[in-house]
Amino acid sequence: MDELTQQHLQELRRGTVVLASLLTLRTPGYGYGLLESLAAAGIAVDGNTLYPLLRRLEKQGLLTSEWNTEDARPRKFYRTSAEGERLIDALLTDWHEIDAALGRLTDGGTR
Amino acid sequence: MTTTLTDRYVHAATRWMPGRVRHEVEAELRERIEDTVEAQGGRPEAEREALEILGDPLRIGVEYIGREPALLGPRMFFPWLRLTALLVVTVAPIVAAITMTVGAFEGDSVGAIIGGGVWTLLEMVVHLVFWTTLVFVVLDWTGISAPSDADTWSVDQLPDPRAGTGLGDLVAAGVFLPFFAALLVWQHVSPPFVEDGDRLAVLDPDLWSWYLPLVLVTLALELAHAVWVYRRGWTWPAAWANLGLTLLFAVPTIALLLDGSIVNPELVAHFDWDPAVVEQVLRGIAVGVGLVSAWEAFDGFRKAQAAG
């Protein structure tokens, strides 16, 4: 895949990492675990993107966090908040609308 | 206590952040690095590899909190601090010494020589700080120097968190404080000025009734304080104690300097100094003591804040 295509794909996917993270973190999880679940689900994301993103989402109140100190090493567990759920709804609705619109554009040309 | 590469990396990434945020980011970064290393099977080289992949700690730190420190970016701050400190402690005293030597050769009065030296010193400090800061700010804002060391950064560049966190201060205190105490005693016991076979102390001998013993006690306490800070770091109690010690020295010293009763009057008479000039010089020194003391006290709280 050429560089130009890759760049555009990256742009297209940027917002979906937020949505995928919020969806995954309905079950509490920590940074590296989320990185692996997202990769397994086919959403490749870099640690340099994901870790700062989690902090940002927490600051925006979309995630809540808690340090789990029961394991050998302390880990910060994130969970999607009520506000995060509202954002999920909004983003998913928009996602489906865009999908439908793109479908119309590819099938019928103009409408 | 051993310092691992991770410790040094986390320190390098977060050392410029304010206390509470720094602790958060430290913990998160540590979790991230350790998870990454573990995923690599925990091989001995895995830690180094994980850090190399993470890259320049300053950039990582900036990514975490999403902003850079104000006037100077984090990349510029430490080089700026190092250079400014170096210039202030080397160039300023040298230039002041030269001014005083030239004054002495030209046969100026002692008051004028000392006054000129102090004035030059203060002037040099102001200039050095201002101009180096200006140069760094221009470099930072224009991005000229923004080095491409995102590519060339390597783990070996990590600073050691234990370096400069106190050992330097302790050594300085261990050398300076006893030296200053010895100087106080020496100027009284065997001063270089002799009149009619009597030695003339520089400081008024009457001050041995309270002021000079107080200063010696304060110096001893300062030394104990330096050891305490070295072992425990800058805690809030240490900062308050520092404030107390600073006041203990500064308040009587400044009062005596302004009052003009610190210099041995017989010495003034011996050299036939102009009392007005002596008064001016002492006033200048009082201002200097005040400024340094204010900084000392503030610096303690600043360090306690930084240590969280």
Side-chain angles (χ1 to χ4, degrees), chain A residues 30-33 36 46-49 51-52 55-56 58-59 67 73-78, chain B residues 21 24-25 27-28 30-36 38-40 53-54 59-60 63-65:
Chain A
Y30 61 96
Y32 202 83
E36 284 183 323
D46 187 63
N48 281 342
T49 310
Y51 283 95
R55 268 188 79 80
R56 206 161 58 240
E58 186 195 1
K59 241 190 203 139
W67 280 94
R73 285 192 279 102
R75 282 191 176 122
K76 195 176 185 181
F77 274 72
Y78 293 94
Chain B
V21 175
E24 269 176 36
V25 177
E28 287 181 33
R30 200 173 282 281
E31 174 202 321
R32 174 176 174 184
I33 294 166
E34 284 167 356
D35 278 342
T36 312
E38 202 174 87
Q40 303 290 315
I53 291 170
L54 272 178
R59 193 177 50 77
I60 290 291
E63 268 174 18
Y64 265 72
I65 68 168

Side-chain angles (χ1 to χ4, degrees), chain B residues 14 20-21 39 41 44 47 89 93 105 123 135 150 155 163 166 179 185-186 201 225-226 245-246 260 286 299:
Chain B
T14 58
R20 200 178 53 82
V21 175
E47 185 181 22
V89 300
F105 274 114
E123 208 175 24
V135 169
V155 168
F179 175 76
V185 175
W186 169 79
H225 183 263
L245 288 173
T246 307
D299 196 41

Side-chain angles (χ1 to χ4, degrees), chain B residues 207-236:
Chain B
L207 293 175
W208 282 106
S209 63
W210 65 280
Y211 174 69
L212 292 171
L214 175 72
V215 171
L216 290 178
V217 170
T218 311
L219 290 175
L221 290 173
E222 291 259 14
L223 193 56
H225 183 263
V227 174
W228 179 29
V229 166
Y230 174 68
R231 299 174 68 113
R232 293 292 164 83
W234 275 97
T235 56
W236 289 108

Side-chain angles (χ1 to χ4, degrees), chain B residues 95-121:
Chain B
V95 175
I98 291 172
T99 315
M100 290 169 77
T101 314
V102 171
F105 274 114
E106 289 183 348
D108 294 352
S109 70
V110 175
I113 293 172
I114 296 175
V118 171
W119 179 250
T120 311
L121 192 69

Side-chain angles (χ1 to χ4, degrees), chain B residues 272-290:
Chain B
D272 201 17
W273 282 333
D274 181 353
V277 173
V278 172
E279 197 178 314
Q280 280 299 320
V281 172
L282 293 182
R283 206 170 286 167
I285 297 174
V287 171
V289 171

